[in-house]
Amino acid sequence: MNVSIVMRPLSEINWIPFVETAKLTQGTSLFDYYYNLYGNILWFVPMGFGAAYLMKRKYTFLRSLGIGIAVSFLIETMQFLFFTGVSDIDDLIFNTIGTMIGIVLFEISQWLYKKWQNKKTT
């Protein structure tokens, strides 16, 4: 296996939000658009839920969000360094939205669990 880091200019990163995603709507198929938008969001919902769950007592929304952002940033950095994909600010934004949805789902599940526990004891 041969792994190499390719030095490229930072100008190759898509820095302007939503430009590349909007361009995907003009393609021959909307699949790429939907996958870029919804796929990036859905891939990170478990990240938000899992980060919140694993933190247990030290859980806060911002800490869990920070983990999701850090993981997304790491992925985008690796794509850039190893030339395995396109580094795009949209991916970071959509992954962050997915992380937030996961955290909210965790909070809802905790609220429902507590409500169920209270009902069970009464």
Side-chain angles (χ1 to χ4, degrees):
M1 177 188 226
N2 189 9
V3 177
S4 63
I5 294 177
V6 179
M7 298 308 292
R8 302 180 291 156
L10 291 176
S11 61
E12 289 187 20
I13 298 173
N14 297 324
W15 293 102
I16 303 170
F18 310 118
V19 170
E20 295 303 315
T21 300
K23 286 180 185 177
L24 291 174
T25 63
Q26 306 304 314
T28 56
S29 167
L30 287 178
F31 176 80
D32 291 334
Y33 166 75
Y34 290 124
Y35 184 80
N36 187 59
L37 175 63
Y38 299 116
N40 278 314
I41 291 172
L42 289 174
W43 279 112
F44 269 72
V45 169
M47 172 64 66
F49 192 96
Y53 175 78
L54 291 174
M55 295 180 83
K56 304 254 185 210
R57 296 172 198 239
K58 294 182 181 180
Y59 163 75
T60 66
F61 185 91
L62 289 178
R63 281 185 181 160
S64 299
L65 183 62
I67 290 171
I69 291 170
V71 169
S72 178
F73 184 78
L74 180 65
I75 290 169
E76 294 303 311
T77 301
M78 293 300 165
Q79 284 181 340
F80 179 75
L81 290 176
F82 295 117
F83 204 60
T84 58
V86 177
S87 296
D88 195 331
I89 191 69
D90 293 358
D91 293 348
L92 188 63
I93 292 168
F94 297 145
N95 294 346
T96 300
I97 291 169
T99 299
M100 290 189 314
I101 291 170
I103 295 167
V104 168
L105 290 175
F106 171 78
E107 290 180 355
I108 291 169
S109 73
Q110 292 300 296
W111 178 77
L112 289 171
Y113 180 74
K114 287 176 185 174
K115 188 174 178 181
W116 177 73
Q117 285 289 72
N118 288 339
K119 188 175 184 179
K120 188 176 162 183
T121 58
T122 58

